[in-house]
Amino acid sequence: MKNISKTLKKSALLCLIGTFFLISIDSFAQRNHGGGVKRSGGATHNRPTKPATQTRPNATRPTTTRPGSNNSGTKVTRPGNSSDSKISNRNNTNRTNTNRNSNTINRNNGNRNTNISGNTRNNINVDRSRDITINNNRNTVVRRNTVVYTRPPYVYGGYRYHSYHPYYYHPYRPYYWGPVWHPWGFFVATLAVTAIVVSVESTQYHYDQGVWYAPSNGGYTAVPAPVGGTVNNIPSGAQTVNTGTVNNYYYGGTYYEKDGNSYKVVAPTAGTIVESLPEGGKEVTIGDVKYIQFGETYYQPVQVDGKNKYEVVLVEKDK
């Protein structure tokens, strides 16, 4: 009996030692795997180990390029949203070299003359401001016509105004003869190489393509052609006008007569009809009639064959 009791005690002691040994081994295993958590239900749940360093994918936007706001081709490159990103070299836009004043024009282009006051034609400097001082007193004495007037003159203020056609008013609109022509009073700094010198009564003029010039303030001013001035050629656009006795050639307000192989400047003949008048005239009202006056020469607005024209008026003192 005593032996059995000892045996039972030894067995219980061995079981206790074995149980303690098993528990120790299990605890060691759980610690070694690092994640086992024993809950009240007795079940053990293994939680996945969280990595020490999380790697998030870079949310960098693709690089985009857009044109500058002035559509001039200047571009700004914007990188993505990375915290380390920076706008690269803003100086590449060259904004400091951009001329923002679009109203500034460099007028010194090519071979064009730069000393301009007014309009420029054919690279010749023109000063329109001098039009107000036009000297149009040359060629203002009208030559009498040999054809007898059949209409009574218009009498006003002690003068008689003779014309062959009835008065037909239409506004005075100066005519432009083309890019090589300049109206009286235009100032040019230089003349074309085609200009020639013409001497009339010891006075020198310059003639070029239907325009007469006189020296003026370091340049030349377009003037009415001097009576008696003779040239070998006149512009091809000259109009043939009949004075009642001979044909005249009319261009830019100047009348020419054929003289051998040349053309001579003459005063206008009373009764001559022209289609256009140049700049330099002024519309004046005499009684009930409006004339266009060039110095002492008067042109009456008329209508011939349904077209507006002008007739040179013969003015005489009333006896």
Side-chain angles (χ1 to χ4, degrees):
M1 187 72 181
K2 194 178 284 186
N3 291 334
I4 293 173
S5 177
K6 288 182 179 179
T7 301
L8 290 174
K9 288 181 180 180
K10 288 181 180 180
S11 298
L13 181 60
L14 290 174
C15 288
L16 182 62
I17 293 171
T19 300
F20 177 78
F21 179 75
L22 290 175
I23 291 173
S24 300
I25 292 174
D26 184 64
S27 298
F28 177 78
Q30 289 180 2
R31 290 178 182 177
N32 195 30
H33 284 83
V37 178
K38 189 173 182 180
R39 301 186 182 274
S40 60
T44 301
H45 299 275
N46 293 329
R47 178 179 297 174
T49 303
K50 183 181 296 186
T53 302
Q54 285 187 333
T55 303
R56 180 176 297 177
N58 192 357
T60 303
R61 294 189 304 183
T63 300
T64 58
T65 303
R66 65 180 184 181
S69 59
N70 60 356
N71 292 324
S72 62
T74 302
K75 297 182 179 180
V76 178
T77 302
R78 298 183 180 276
N81 292 336
S82 174
S83 60
D84 294 333
S85 299
K86 296 181 180 180
I87 296 178
S88 60
N89 196 2
R90 292 181 180 273
N91 290 332
N92 290 335
T93 59
N94 293 328
R95 294 182 181 178
T96 57
N97 295 330
T98 302
N99 184 5
R100 298 182 180 274
N101 187 1
S102 60
N103 293 326
T104 301
I105 302 174
N106 183 7
R107 297 186 181 273
N108 188 13
N109 295 329
N111 294 324
R112 178 172 294 181
N113 294 320
T114 57
N115 297 325
I116 298 175
S117 175
N119 296 332
T120 301
R121 296 177 185 167
N122 288 349
N123 295 338
I124 298 177
N125 298 335
V126 176
D127 187 351
R128 293 281 308 197
S129 65
R130 304 195 183 198
D131 285 1
I132 59 175
T133 59
I134 291 176
N135 178 10
N136 58 9
N137 292 322
R138 299 181 179 88
N139 301 350
T140 60
V141 178
V142 174
R143 297 189 296 176
R144 181 181 293 272
N145 201 316
T146 58
V147 179
V148 178
Y149 285 98
T150 59
R151 302 180 70 256
Y154 177 71
V155 181
Y156 185 85
Y159 289 88
R160 291 179 294 175
Y161 300 83
H162 295 272
S163 65
Y164 293 103
H165 295 80
Y167 171 72
Y168 184 90
Y169 175 74
H170 51 83
Y172 164 53
R173 294 187 176 90
Y175 184 75
Y176 171 65
W177 269 270
V180 298
W181 177 81
H182 300 300
W184 303 334
F186 265 43
F187 175 82
V188 296
T190 57
L191 294 176
V193 295
T194 54
I196 63 173
V197 177
V198 180
S199 180
V200 181
E201 296 180 356
S202 302
T203 301
Q204 285 192 341
Y205 298 88
H206 296 263
Y207 172 84
D208 184 40
Q209 303 184 69
V211 185
W212 293 78
Y213 300 91
S216 174
N217 297 328
Y220 305 88
T221 299
V223 297
V227 171
T230 302
V231 294
N232 292 329
N233 297 287
I234 59 175
S236 59
Q239 174 190 0
T240 302
V241 294
N242 189 280
T243 66
T245 55
V246 296
N247 286 335
N248 280 178
Y249 301 91
Y250 176 77
Y251 183 85
T254 302
Y255 298 86
Y256 299 89
E257 279 185 6
K258 195 79 165 63
D259 184 14
N261 294 326
S262 59
Y263 298 87
K264 181 185 291 187
V265 177
V266 295
T269 302
T272 302
I273 301 293
V274 296
E275 295 182 356
S276 306
L277 294 176
E279 294 184 29
K282 60 181 179 179
E283 190 175 85
V284 296
T285 301
I286 299 176
D288 297 327
V289 179
K290 291 182 181 295
Y291 296 101
I292 310 303
Q293 182 181 5
F294 286 85
E296 296 175 354
T297 302
Y298 290 84
Y299 288 85
Q300 176 178 290
V302 297
Q303 190 173 73
V304 180
D305 298 329
K307 296 182 178 179
N308 293 336
K309 297 186 179 183
Y310 301 91
E311 179 181 337
V312 179
V313 177
L314 176 64
V315 182
E316 296 180 321
K317 270 196 172 184
D318 192 14
K319 296 179 181 179

